[in-house]
Amino acid sequence: MTVLDVLRADRVLSVVRAETIPDAAALCHALSSGGIRTVELTFTTPGVLDVLRSAADAVAHSDVVLGVGTVLNGDQARAAIDAGADFLVTPGIRPEVAEVAVSNEVPVFLGALTPTEVAVAADLGSAAVKIFPAAGFGPGYLSDLHGPYPDVDLLPSGGITAENARAYLDAGALAVCAGTGVVPPARVAAGDWDDITVRARTFVTALSS
């Protein structure tokens, strides 16, 4: 299955922002056990490429899809791909990242907000466009964007919770990005994988309620 196939099936991507990830493979398996198979590590985590390498090897034959976010330039994009990233995510329009991703046939989700930025992201080859920050505009904004761009897959991020996630899906989102509500940095640092599995399962259950 491709990254988009998994996202269409699960409707959620977990964004992990933590100062310390003691066992990224265990984290991925904890999330997958709770129903979230798409995991985004980020360049805001110190040493994230080493974390990615160890996790990518461990989950290579599982159903986990592992990528890297907060990718800001071409060098980071190339390093992430070399370390085993299945996809890349940016916080905004980053043409250099898109170029590296597209040339390596790695899906990229470029961050955008305005209609103009959504168009630019799509033109640059973004597999889906990350709408960030989504919470400040609400689910209705996705419906508005799909007016002129009905065929662009949108991935809202920022402020998405178990309580509001379903509204974004109902507004046409491909999937939603789940952040600290599912993967609190303190719980990640403590290696509390059972708690994270419960949080993931709770979030996934809310998507179908």
Side-chain angles (χ1 to χ4, degrees), residues 21-33 55 58-59 191 193-194 196-197:
I21 303 176
D23 189 337
L27 170 62
C28 289
H29 289 307
L31 288 165
S32 179
S33 295
V59 303
W193 311 131
D194 289 341
I196 288 173
T197 294

Side-chain angles (χ1 to χ4, degrees), residues 76-89:
Q76 287 183 332
R78 281 184 283 270
I81 292 170
D82 289 345
D86 295 316
F87 63 92
L88 305 178
V89 186

Side-chain angles (χ1 to χ4, degrees), residues 10 14 25-39 59 62-65 196-197 200-201 204:
D10 295 354
S14 179
L27 170 62
C28 289
H29 289 307
L31 288 165
S32 179
S33 295
I36 301 178
R37 294 180 292 171
T38 307
V39 182
V59 303
S62 72
D63 57 358
V64 171
V65 180
I196 288 173
T197 294
R201 187 173 295 122
V204 170

Side-chain angles (χ1 to χ4, degrees), residues 100-169:
V100 171
V102 171
S103 65
N104 284 276
E105 299 183 342
V106 172
V108 61
F109 305 138
L110 296 175
L113 183 61
T114 68
T116 297
E117 290 172 344
V118 171
V120 171
D123 289 344
L124 289 171
S126 194
V129 179
K130 184 179 83 168
I131 303 303
F132 176 81
F137 294 81
Y141 187 58
L142 264 68
S143 299
D144 293 339
L145 289 174
H146 267 144
Y149 306 120
D151 299 323
V152 176
D153 286 322
L154 302 178
L155 186 63
S157 178
I160 310 297
T161 66
E163 290 73 30
N164 65 21
R166 180 55 192 256
Y168 286 92
L169 296 181

